[in-house]
Amino acid sequence: MEHYVLPKTMTAVVLTGTNDQYEIRHDIETPTEPGYQEVICKVMAIAICGTDPKLLKGKPYHYCPEEYPFIIGHEWSGIVVKVGPGVFNLKVGDRVAGEAHRGCGVCKNCKEGRYSLCLNYGNDSTGHRHYGFTTYGAYCQYVRYSCGSLTPLPDNVSFEEAAMCDTAGVAFHGLERAGVTPGGTVCVIGPGPIGLMSMKIARCLGAAHVIAVGRGARLKAAVATGACDPDKAIDFEACERDGVDVVQKVVEMTGGIGPDNVYEASGAKGAMAQAIEMCKKGGSIALLGTPPEGTMVEIPMKKITFKELALFGSRGNPNVTPAVVNLMATGQLRVRDLVTHTFPLTQFRQGIDTFVNRKGGAVKVIFYPNEQPEVPFVKA
């Protein structure tokens, strides 16, 4: 593909205010002129992130849109259709996966590679971008993007799989920070998309046993997809009903020692305290879940000290997308089984409803802003 004629207008999901005020419009001006080190991409697949329904509601996140109209969406993949000045790593026709963060590149955190913690967050004049949050995102047919926030895809990674790079990358980064003990046992609290991906990646990075704490269809999905050990799926609702202590049950499963690593992926109040109680002496904990704004919890501080636990916060997926793509391409990380529903972008309301209300056991829901890829996507 050497030349691509961009249409004057495109279809996009446009937020016009808070409390689910949005429109599916077909007259949005298509971005046609990429800036320095930017490209224009045709969006082929985009997945719903758990933050998206909150942004639709206008929940008080510090990264909510400051003004409307606005386009959200950041878990996407597509094709480069136009290249701007200064771009040397991409060409027209390249298949790519998008990443939400682009740091300013000059602050201390960016220079240390921690660009998801850019000290110039939200200041577009510095070059910072948080696509789908402070800068227009990808619930649309075409998007203008920094070339540094895109990763080329091998031919055997589908657009649907590539749209899962953000979910996989967030999990990978958290596990990278807290560590995975080769041959050890990990416990994941909360088998949502991030939790399920954490289980799968923990396997890739050497965990011998995976315990999952959750409930309902998503706990069943953890077993069905091979993300956790079949005999180590703990239904906390059943435990509450039967008077069984979840923490004690996890500890018993590890011979009275506790998991080497605990990944809290639910964001639920009280889950962090459970993670501290169950983690083995000298173990580590990664906090992957996003609790509601202002959530305060009580934690057993003495346990942290006496057990010498290491607690890690984790944000975004800096510097991990190439590794995630490689794991997908080599078949070590299977993500197709987490994609439960697909819709054209014009059925955005139906897709959001399916995701939020977990209809049909929904885990990850993907939209096609343009035509569906020629090769049909088949869940594996």
Side-chain angles (χ1 to χ4, degrees):
M1 182 188 298
E2 297 182 356
H3 183 66
Y4 187 92
V5 179
L6 286 160
K8 292 182 179 180
T9 60
M10 66 176 181
T11 299
V13 177
V14 181
L15 275 65
T16 58
T18 60
N19 296 317
D20 290 325
Q21 295 182 61
Y22 61 86
E23 302 171 351
I24 300 170
R25 294 180 54 181
H26 305 282
D27 60 349
I28 300 301
E29 184 177 350
T30 303
T32 57
E33 296 302 324
Y36 181 72
Q37 292 194 338
E38 288 185 332
V39 298
I40 306 297
C41 291
K42 182 178 183 179
V43 182
M44 298 303 295
I46 179 166
I48 300 175
C49 173
T51 58
D52 291 343
K54 297 170 185 176
L55 291 173
L56 292 175
K57 292 289 185 184
K59 296 289 185 180
Y61 279 94
H62 68 278
Y63 45 66
C64 269
E66 293 186 358
E67 58 184 27
Y68 298 94
F70 193 80
I71 297 173
I72 63 171
H74 60 279
E75 298 191 2
W76 69 278
S77 63
I79 304 169
V80 176
V81 294
K82 192 170 184 178
V83 174
V87 176
F88 57 86
N89 62 325
L90 296 169
K91 64 183 184 303
V92 172
D94 281 352
R95 301 167 67 253
V96 293
E99 187 178 324
H101 287 275
R102 179 197 179 219
C104 71
V106 297
C107 74
K108 187 175 187 295
N109 282 358
C110 283
K111 287 183 176 180
E112 292 174 351
R114 307 183 75 180
Y115 54 87
S116 60
L117 302 176
C118 178
L119 298 177
N120 286 306
Y121 184 94
N123 186 347
D124 284 2
S125 66
T126 67
H128 174 272
R129 300 287 186 272
H130 193 187
Y131 294 102
F133 296 89
T134 65
T135 305
Y136 273 17
Y139 279 127
C140 52
Q141 291 183 295
Y142 297 91
V143 66
R144 180 168 55 231
Y145 234 72
S146 165
C147 65
S149 300
L150 298 170
T151 300
L153 299 172
D155 292 339
N156 67 334
V157 174
S158 70
F159 287 119
E160 292 86 355
E161 290 169 313
M164 300 284 281
C165 280
D166 187 276
T167 304
V170 169
F172 194 106
H173 178 56
L175 272 60
E176 187 177 54
R177 283 183 54 73
V180 178
T181 303
T185 299
V186 305
C187 178
V188 177
I189 301 174
I194 297 294
L196 288 165
M197 201 69 83
S198 297
M199 298 177 211
K200 286 174 172 280
I201 292 174
R203 296 273 200 200
C204 292
L205 299 182
H209 300 289
V210 178
I211 300 171
V213 177
R215 63 176 176 174
R218 291 187 170 181
L219 184 62
K220 292 178 181 177
V223 176
T225 61
C228 81
D229 297 352
D231 60 342
K232 292 182 172 60
I234 300 175
D235 186 328
F236 71 82
E237 287 185 331
C239 287
E240 290 175 357
R241 184 175 61 248
D242 299 336
V244 175
D245 182 80
V246 169
V247 171
Q248 187 58 38
K249 187 165 184 176
V250 171
V251 172
E252 288 174 358
M253 285 181 172
T254 58
I257 297 173
D260 299 280
N261 317 103
V262 181
Y263 311 123
E264 199 298 286
S266 71
K269 192 171 184 177
M272 181 176 175
Q274 286 183 321
I276 293 168
E277 291 283 0
M278 70 174 63
C279 193
K280 80 162 193 177
K281 293 178 181 178
S284 63
I285 299 168
L287 305 177
L288 303 174
T290 303
E293 190 79 8
T295 298
M296 303 294 289
V297 298
E298 292 186 359
I299 59 174
M301 292 182 63
K302 192 172 182 179
K303 290 284 180 69
I304 299 173
T305 303
F306 279 24
K307 293 168 74 173
E308 287 194 355
L309 299 179
L311 274 67
F312 295 89
S314 182
R315 182 181 185 184
N317 53 329
N319 306 304
V320 299
T321 305
V324 167
V325 169
N326 286 340
L327 288 173
M328 291 181 183
T330 56
Q332 297 175 74
L333 178 60
R334 295 172 59 86
V335 300
R336 290 187 174 216
D337 49 15
L338 299 183
V339 180
T340 54
H341 298 77
T342 61
F343 297 91
L345 188 62
T346 51
Q347 294 181 17
F348 185 78
R349 291 184 184 277
Q350 183 179 346
I352 286 289
D353 179 55
T354 298
F355 178 81
V356 170
N357 295 303
R358 302 183 185 181
K359 293 184 175 180
V363 178
K364 290 297 286 187
V365 175
I366 283 180
F367 295 105
Y368 299 116
N370 288 283
E371 69 276 7
Q372 188 169 341
E374 291 181 7
V375 178
F377 176 65
V378 180
K379 288 194 297 177

